[in-house]
Amino acid sequence: MELKIKRPAIWITLAYIIGILIAVYMKWKSNYLIIALVLLALVGLATRLKGKGVYLLLTLLLFILIGATNTYIQTRPDTDLDSFLDKTVTIYGQVWDLAQQTDSKTTIILEARRVKHAGIEYEGKSKIRTSFYLDPEKDREMPVNIGDWVELKGKLERPQGLRNPKGFDYRAYLARRGIHYTMGVANRNILSINPGSFSWPKSWLMSARGYMEQILERYVGGSGSRLLKAMIIGQKWSLPSDVKEQFINTGIAHILAISGLHVGFVVLLLSWFTNLLTLSPKAKFFIQCTVLAFYCLLVGGNPSVIRATTMAIIVLGGRVAGRKADPINSLSIAAFLILLLRPLDLLEVGFQLSFGAVAGIALYNEKIESKLVRIPEAIASSIAVILSAQLGTWALLAYHFNTFSPISFIANLIFVPIAGVIVILGLLLIMIGGFIPIVAKILGWWLWLLCSLLINGNEWVSYLPWASLRVVSPGIVFMIAYYFILLILSYERPLWIKRPWRLSAIVILIILLSTGIKPAFERDFKIVFLDVGQGDCIYIRTPDRKHILVDGGGRPEGWGDFDVGTEIVLPFLLKNGINELDLVVMSHCHDDHIGGLIPVVEDLKVNTFMEFPPRDPTEKYGTLKELISRKDIENIQAIGGESYRVGKEVFIDIIYPTLDSSLLDSLYGENENNLSLVMAIRYQDASIMLTGDIEKQVESHLSKIWGQNISVLKVAHHGSKTSSTDKWLDLLKPRIAIIQSGKNSFGHPDPQVIDRLLERDTSVYRNDKNGAITCVYKGGKWHINTIIKD
Amino acid sequence: MSLQEVWQSFLDIIYPRDIRCPICGVKRDDMLSWGVCQSCQSRLPFIEPPICPKCGRMMLIDNRLCLDCQQANHAFYKGISIFEFSTEVKGLIHRYKYRGEKHLSIPMIHWMMEGLKVYRWDFDIIVPVPLHPSRERQRGFNQAKILAQGLSKNTDIPLDSKSLIRVKNTPHQTKLNRQERKRNLQYAFRVKETDGKLKVFQDKVILLVDDVYTTGSTADQCSRVLLDSGASKVYLITLATGANF
């Protein structure tokens, strides 16, 4: 067997990445790793690799091992402050970085040095993501600055981990940034603030950044300077989140990342400068490396800028060493270096997008450009760059953000050149801003104009129809196969694959078959009680794959700007492959049940909407209804005694509200909760009762008309003590009870309710303790799976 | 493995060879062992007979000597060259010298070796045309020295790149005419006897190596200096030469 390795760096990097994946997904069970390595070695020996082959295999094994070990070493959790969790602590520390700023909240990264609670003291270093809740009327200003030494009082918490299937794991996200704790601080609990500074080199970088920010603010100002700060010095926290969102929606968010364009321009200026001095190539290279490394640190060392810097240094080094750089090879070296520093960056969207885009360009740019012969060269080359970059990124965008933007090609064609000019002028402004005020003023004016053009133009584009579509996440098999095909079809002439097109066709066939076959295997009756915090949200899938959503969670008015619908419910549906709902049910019109339904109904195809009309409609209800009539969704008004069949075998029996209006009047008691839809869902021998927020009056009425046991009960009103009476529970005798509650100030769920359930030998699951709860009915039995295992 | 070899194989990982043909820049799989593709190899303007037996340039008709050699009395004994100085070769040499693409020396050395094999000259030392130290520092390398090093390695004949030196930092030859070139180069070269070894070139046959041969002024000046310091004969090999009809 003859082996010819053209680009060794690719193989080394891939082996290293496999090592990282092993460590992450096998949670470093070292026996697995050893088994995997032994198997690989055996495969190698079995195929009787000789000479070069053996060395190659050993090298790959070595790098798998290095990858796994490095990941393990770098991700050992910081547990220093665990004993202070959920306690009100006094912390003395330094403001390390600013993270986010909204009207109601400022978030910083605090480096704690001393933590105190009830006489116990800890001294050391630990990063805490700290939020200040501000009174928007009174304190608009930033309460602290970077570098300040502060003393704060607040409750130390662990960031939320994974709560819903394929949901966002905030704990892991922060852990990748070296942060393991969070804390909320009311403004009055800032006990002291003293200006401070950092030690070198952070101090130096900080003052350089401060100087640049000042220049941008002085000569550009307004939203333009905030955009420039993000685009040129990588300071994104001050950029308004709606601008960020519009950039994501039209597919031009990459211009916010510092990347090849910036590094390229810095290199250009540098080589112009070094050419003025008569230096040897080695000395020039040394200067270039130093300045680039400094720039890299200055803008925060994101994967995209490290990638661009590495590739630039390889090209420049090639001139000294007399070698020619190969883009794909340089790209893998950049990936290897970044992952050597921070192995878990592999899981970061920014890392994946940056490398996806550049890989697309490296593999396809030339090919596409050579096909565009009739178009003027300048336009053809930008079309080729955009198309090839999108080949590398669209699947990742769909996978992570569930968006596909048909308009993004045009948006890129228009806005990327503008962004390019902005970057170049912005860098020039920073360089001369301190010396030549007149030129700086002119530059600043132009920059202001261009930035406004970019922000407003893109806002306009993002409102166009078809600007951004919601799509389901492609499966992991699809992702791997897509990038594999992208790679093999890029070969000019077949190298190690005889017929790339035929192989691709086979791979595509396999994906189609697997996606076609997979639903055939998932023919169980499934209910997911989503963890939406305080609120109800239930997803039901019938065996013949009809999708039902009962309620969508939501935050009451004035509970901050977190949108349960777009942040939890929509991602859950789309990431689990659901973009069409056969039935959406509203139990009643309160915010914690329908708030999250609005984005769902807005963005997905909904066939039928079911409700019992409220007597005291909320504002959100109005919005929802307007949406339903606008989208022409069939609207069913359900009433006790009806029974609906969904698919072939699933029935929804409506038990309440009753048709008897005088009875309803007496049960209502000016309380919308008592107009909640109560329904029993039947499938074979299983029955589930969904109760909305009914209270004891309704329960006692239902006790008279209902006489069956049920297997799963959604406990009424988040486990409030006003519901779930003994009598009602005695009647239902649920085997499994689900309490949909989260952090709240109402005392949900009530301990007495839990006791009542436990007394009856009911297994109790709670969203606040268990995260999402998935119940699957299979072979006459319920299988319960919770996200958080106890 | 020597340190140099370790360094080279490290560079091979960062700058993989044999992916694109260094001449046409296209990804190919018909790469020859000296790292250029088949089609470039067959397209390049190799010098073919009839050639001038003195300076190695192509001639239109098979004369005894080329017009130039009939007039000029070249100091070197015999010279050969590999390519005509076409636009493509010019570009290649420009990339090699001024854009720092030292990797181009690999095929260049191969082609020069092929040329040497045909002529079977007998020589004792290989000497590159030197650069002035300040220019060499600026460029980072001496293009002729790299070629000479390669030839020395392939022939096992020793290299001496230290004894012949350039003492005058002359302006570039490219824009000058023949007379100006001669004047420009006068007293530009010298033999430095280093390490107490006197008369390193005494009675030696020398192979002088350079990248381009145009009027022969450089080669002549170097040869003269070498002969003055006792060399018995100077052969010359260059990569490319301008046509001279």
Side-chain angles (χ1 to χ4, degrees):
Chain A
M1 188 169 160
E2 207 226 339
L3 264 171
K4 199 172 176 213
I5 301 296
K6 288 218 159 189
R7 300 182 178 97
I10 293 186
W11 299 101
I12 289 173
T13 308
L14 284 179
Y16 182 77
I17 286 176
I18 290 171
I20 296 176
L21 292 175
I22 289 175
V24 171
Y25 290 106
M26 297 192 173
K27 308 284 182 217
W28 188 259
K29 289 177 182 151
S30 48
N31 39 347
Y32 278 141
L33 187 71
I34 289 162
I35 291 167
L37 294 182
V38 168
L39 275 177
L40 250 169
L42 282 177
V43 169
L45 291 177
T47 50
R48 268 170 291 166
L49 291 169
K50 281 181 194 135
K52 232 175 160 184
V54 175
Y55 287 120
L56 176 75
L57 191 75
L58 288 177
T59 315
L60 293 185
L61 291 178
L62 178 71
F63 277 95
I64 290 177
L65 205 63
I66 293 175
T69 315
N70 191 22
T71 312
Y72 172 66
I73 291 169
Q74 295 209 23
T75 55
R76 263 182 303 184
D78 170 4
T79 54
D80 294 352
L81 299 180
D82 277 9
S83 54
F84 293 100
L85 275 175
D86 299 316
K87 288 171 183 153
T88 301
V89 292
T90 310
I91 294 185
Y92 180 72
Q94 191 174 25
V95 181
W96 185 255
D97 207 352
L98 303 172
Q100 201 185 19
Q101 194 179 28
T102 63
D103 283 348
S104 57
K105 194 166 92 169
T106 294
T107 308
I108 61 156
I109 309 301
L110 180 74
E111 191 182 69
R113 294 294 176 84
R114 212 166 54 229
V115 181
K116 268 191 293 192
H117 168 78
I120 309 163
E121 200 174 296
Y122 161 87
E123 279 196 38
K125 278 185 186 176
S126 181
K127 292 214 176 84
I128 301 171
R129 192 178 158 100
T130 308
S131 295
F132 298 102
Y133 295 98
L134 310 176
D135 185 342
E137 303 295 313
K138 279 188 286 179
D139 17 55
R140 284 245 129 173
E141 291 298 302
M142 201 65 142
V144 290
N145 289 313
I146 295 186
D148 284 354
W149 287 94
V150 291
E151 199 171 1
L152 307 167
K153 211 165 93 185
K155 195 166 145 196
L156 194 70
E157 288 177 317
R158 195 187 279 298
Q160 272 205 341
L162 186 69
R163 306 294 298 191
N164 288 297
K166 300 196 181 168
F168 180 55
D169 189 341
Y170 189 49
R171 186 181 299 172
Y173 169 84
L174 285 185
R176 291 202 285 273
R177 286 154 182 75
I179 300 164
H180 301 275
Y181 304 98
T182 60
M183 189 168 74
V185 179
N187 224 5
R188 65 189 139 80
N189 282 334
I190 303 176
L191 305 177
S192 73
I193 302 177
N194 291 303
S197 59
F198 294 102
S199 55
W200 195 87
K202 192 170 159 104
S203 61
W204 213 51
L205 291 171
M206 290 307 306
S207 54
R209 279 186 120 178
Y211 168 77
M212 292 176 177
E213 282 175 32
Q214 250 179 27
I215 285 180
L216 293 178
E217 268 159 29
R218 190 188 314 151
Y219 292 107
V220 186
S223 57
S225 75
R226 285 199 284 275
L227 180 65
L228 276 172
K229 280 183 204 166
M231 284 176 68
I232 290 167
I233 40 186
Q235 188 238 65
K236 280 189 200 160
W237 61 265
S238 65
L239 193 68
S241 52
D242 53 331
V243 174
K244 260 185 248 178
E245 218 161 90
Q246 286 154 8
F247 275 50
I248 291 172
N249 285 339
T250 55
I252 60 162
H254 59 91
I255 63 177
L256 295 176
I258 293 173
S259 59
L261 180 64
H262 305 66
V263 172
F265 190 65
V266 171
V267 168
L268 196 75
L269 287 177
L270 264 176
S271 44
W272 173 77
F273 177 72
T274 47
N275 279 348
L276 290 181
L277 313 166
T278 43
L279 291 169
S280 74
K282 271 182 195 154
K284 270 189 210 170
F285 179 61
F286 180 74
I287 292 176
Q288 286 164 333
C289 284
T290 314
V291 176
L292 282 177
F294 175 73
Y295 183 70
C296 218
L297 284 174
L298 186 76
V299 298
N302 282 332
S304 65
V305 66
I306 302 186
R307 190 216 76 225
T309 307
T310 309
M311 291 178 79
I313 287 178
I314 290 174
V315 169
L316 295 170
R319 293 199 188 140
V320 183
R323 298 292 194 98
K324 206 150 185 179
D326 171 69
I328 289 286
N329 195 69
S330 309
L331 191 65
S332 9
I333 292 170
F336 182 71
L337 286 179
I338 293 171
L339 297 176
L340 205 60
L341 287 174
R342 301 186 299 244
L344 290 184
D345 270 11
L346 183 66
L347 309 176
E348 291 280 327
V349 188
F351 175 90
Q352 295 173 6
L353 285 174
S354 177
F355 280 86
V358 178
I361 293 171
L363 295 174
Y364 281 93
N365 185 37
E366 267 177 60
K367 273 180 182 253
I368 296 175
E369 199 174 341
S370 67
K371 300 247 154 59
L372 301 170
V373 278
R374 297 208 183 148
I375 305 168
E377 210 184 304
I379 300 173
S381 74
S382 35
I383 290 178
V385 170
I386 293 166
L387 279 183
S388 51
Q390 286 185 337
L391 274 179
T393 54
W394 76 266
L396 285 167
L397 289 169
Y399 185 81
H400 289 290
F401 299 115
N402 297 111
T403 57
F404 179 77
S405 176
I407 224 164
S408 92
F409 171 70
I410 312 261
N412 273 288
L413 205 55
I414 302 169
F415 295 125
V416 166
I418 298 180
V421 177
I422 290 179
V423 165
I424 289 166
L425 293 184
L427 285 170
L428 281 177
L429 174 64
I430 281 175
M431 265 174 274
I432 61 165
F435 313 106
I436 320 167
I438 292 179
V439 182
K441 261 184 195 157
I442 297 169
L443 277 176
W445 187 82
W446 274 102
L447 278 165
W448 175 83
L449 188 76
L450 289 169
C451 287
S452 313
L453 195 65
L454 183 57
I455 294 174
N456 297 322
N458 187 60
E459 186 182 359
W460 184 78
V461 169
S462 75
Y463 288 139
L464 289 177
W466 299 95
S468 161
L469 303 178
R470 288 283 183 188
V471 291
V472 297
S473 293
I476 194 77
V477 180
F478 174 89
M479 296 297 285
I480 294 169
Y482 173 74
Y483 283 100
F484 179 67
I485 290 176
L486 206 61
L487 182 70
I488 59 175
L489 287 187
S490 73
Y491 288 114
E492 200 74 34
R493 288 186 185 190
L495 292 170
W496 49 283
I497 297 151
K498 288 269 156 52
R499 294 179 185 82
W501 283 102
R502 196 157 87 182
L503 184 65
S504 307
I506 293 170
V507 174
I508 291 169
L509 203 68
I510 291 171
I511 303 175
L512 287 178
L513 281 178
S514 74
T515 48
I517 287 168
K518 207 179 147 207
F521 285 107
E522 290 181 343
R523 297 215 163 256
D524 307 312
F525 182 59
K526 177 170 152 183
I527 307 180
V528 183
F529 294 88
L530 266 76
D531 180 7
V532 289
Q534 176 60 28
D536 273 15
C537 184
I538 302 146
Y539 162 76
I540 302 163
R541 193 191 67 205
T542 70
D544 41 2
R545 302 187 77 80
K546 301 279 177 202
H547 306 283
I548 307 168
L549 187 70
V550 181
D551 288 344
R555 295 277 182 275
E557 207 56 50
W559 272 41
D561 45 15
F562 185 83
D563 189 331
V564 173
T566 48
E567 308 280 339
I568 298 176
V569 189
L570 258 182
F572 163 80
L573 293 170
L574 292 168
K575 284 186 196 300
N576 289 283
I578 302 147
N579 60 355
E580 182 179 342
L581 290 166
D582 298 278
L583 176 65
V584 170
V585 181
M586 169 190 104
S587 69
H588 65 296
C589 69
H590 282 159
D591 285 355
D592 56 339
H593 293 252
I594 67 163
L597 283 183
I598 294 166
V600 172
V601 175
E602 171 112 54
D603 284 3
L604 302 189
K605 184 166 183 286
V606 174
N607 295 329
T608 310
F609 175 72
M610 183 189 278
E611 60 163 340
F612 183 81
R615 295 192 172 183
D616 178 19
T618 52
E619 199 183 310
K620 291 228 165 91
Y621 177 74
T623 318
L624 185 61
K625 285 291 280 191
E626 195 212 333
L627 206 56
I628 283 160
S629 67
R630 176 154 62 81
K631 288 189 76 177
D632 234 356
I633 297 166
E634 185 194 2
N635 194 340
I636 297 178
Q637 303 201 346
I639 195 92
E642 292 173 340
S643 185
Y644 295 87
R645 196 184 68 190
V646 185
K648 287 198 191 87
E649 299 170 277
V650 173
F651 295 90
I652 301 181
D653 298 335
I654 311 292
I655 302 164
Y656 183 81
T658 165
L659 196 57
D660 181 344
S661 62
S662 58
L663 177 61
L664 201 57
D665 288 344
S666 71
L667 292 172
Y668 176 48
E670 303 300 311
N671 184 352
E672 281 299 319
N673 285 343
N674 281 337
L675 293 185
S676 293
L677 274 174
V678 177
M679 46 201 185
I681 298 170
R682 284 186 287 123
Y683 167 67
Q684 293 178 354
D685 296 332
S687 56
I688 303 102
M689 181 160 303
L690 303 181
T691 54
D693 280 0
I694 56 163
E695 301 191 358
K696 50 189 167 212
Q697 301 88 331
V698 177
E699 285 184 355
S700 88
H701 159 68
L702 290 179
S703 310
K704 291 172 211 153
I705 59 167
W706 181 262
Q708 287 167 32
N709 293 351
I710 49 134
S711 38
V712 180
L713 172 69
K714 202 262 350 165
V715 175
H717 202 182
H718 323 288
S720 156
K721 62 182 169 201
T722 54
S723 315
S724 308
T725 51
D726 283 313
K727 202 176 154 196
W728 177 235
L729 293 180
D730 277 336
L731 188 70
L732 296 176
K733 294 202 174 60
R735 302 216 352 261
I736 297 154
I738 313 282
I739 302 176
Q740 292 221 282
S741 68
K743 212 169 164 187
N744 67 80
S745 50
F746 312 110
H748 301 329
D750 194 85
Q752 287 179 26
V753 172
I754 293 170
D755 283 343
R756 269 179 242 159
L757 288 163
L758 292 175
E759 278 164 19
R760 287 166 178 80
D761 276 338
T762 309
S763 320
V764 178
Y765 296 93
R766 304 164 50 166
N767 284 128
D768 59 346
K769 291 266 193 301
N770 300 115
I773 299 146
T774 304
C775 310
V776 174
Y777 193 71
K778 196 175 178 180
K781 267 176 152 171
W782 281 105
H783 302 265
I784 314 287
N785 193 12
T786 60
I787 292 287
I788 301 166
K789 321 268 188 234
D790 16 55
Chain B
M1 244 202 206
S2 73
L3 211 62
Q4 183 60 25
E5 278 168 330
V6 173
W7 175 243
Q8 287 301 325
S9 35
F10 170 71
L11 284 182
D12 281 348
I13 293 177
I14 295 175
Y15 304 99
R17 296 171 196 267
D18 295 350
I19 290 191
R20 282 160 190 270
C21 167
I23 297 174
C24 59
V26 176
K27 282 187 215 169
R28 310 193 66 109
D29 60 357
D30 58 346
M31 298 282 253
L32 299 163
S33 63
W34 51 98
V36 302
C37 72
Q38 194 92 55
S39 82
C40 283
Q41 171 78 20
S42 56
R43 212 182 50 238
L44 285 169
F46 284 93
I47 285 178
E48 279 158 20
I51 62 171
C52 170
K54 179 77 179 173
C55 68
R57 269 196 279 224
M58 258 170 98
M59 296 187 295
L60 273 182
I61 20 168
D62 201 351
N63 268 335
R64 204 177 54 78
L65 280 176
C66 71
L67 281 172
D68 176 55
C69 291
Q70 283 171 21
Q71 289 159 9
N73 184 20
H74 287 307
F76 54 86
Y77 176 66
K78 261 179 184 173
I80 54 163
S81 192
I82 311 300
F83 295 114
E84 287 191 84
F85 205 39
S86 69
T87 329
E88 189 164 17
V89 172
K90 206 182 215 168
L92 210 59
I93 290 175
H94 181 86
R95 275 166 56 198
Y96 170 52
K97 274 164 82 170
Y98 301 111
R99 305 275 297 276
E101 293 186 36
K102 275 189 276 182
H103 59 102
L104 288 171
S105 66
I106 294 165
M108 289 173 174
I109 289 164
H110 167 84
W111 290 317
M112 289 169 108
M113 275 308 296
E114 294 295 299
L116 279 183
K117 274 180 204 158
V118 174
Y119 288 86
R120 297 160 174 273
W121 291 334
D122 230 355
F123 47 87
D124 310 312
I125 304 178
I126 300 177
V127 177
V129 170
L131 284 181
H132 190 268
S134 74
R135 177 151 324 148
E136 184 166 345
R137 182 153 31 83
Q138 205 179 336
R139 188 175 294 170
F141 62 100
N142 173 357
Q143 71 277 9
K145 186 169 143 190
I146 291 178
L147 297 175
Q149 274 167 340
L151 295 179
S152 156
K153 210 174 157 191
N154 276 294
T155 52
D156 268 333
I157 291 169
L159 170 86
D160 187 331
S161 59
K162 297 211 171 82
S163 303
L164 180 66
I165 55 168
R166 197 171 194 131
V167 286
K168 218 162 99 183
N169 193 10
T170 52
H172 280 286
Q173 293 274 75
T174 28
K175 299 238 166 65
L176 309 179
N177 67 26
R178 181 179 294 257
Q179 286 311 310
E180 288 167 330
R181 282 183 188 211
K182 260 191 182 157
R183 218 172 300 128
N184 187 19
L185 285 176
Q186 226 148 35
Y187 312 115
F189 300 99
R190 223 185 67 196
V191 169
K192 190 172 111 190
E193 312 267 323
T194 47
D195 306 338
K197 282 191 266 173
L198 289 163
K199 308 265 180 198
V200 274
F201 297 129
Q202 190 69 52
D203 299 328
K204 290 284 187 330
V205 180
I206 290 165
L207 178 68
L208 186 66
V209 182
D210 203 358
D211 50 348
V212 181
Y213 180 92
T214 321
T215 60
S217 317
T218 312
D220 276 339
Q221 292 292 343
C222 288
S223 305
R224 217 153 274 147
V225 171
L226 289 170
L227 292 169
D228 285 349
S229 66
S232 60
K233 224 190 246 177
V234 176
Y235 286 108
L236 169 72
I237 184 163
T238 56
L239 190 70
T241 149
N244 187 39
F245 339 101

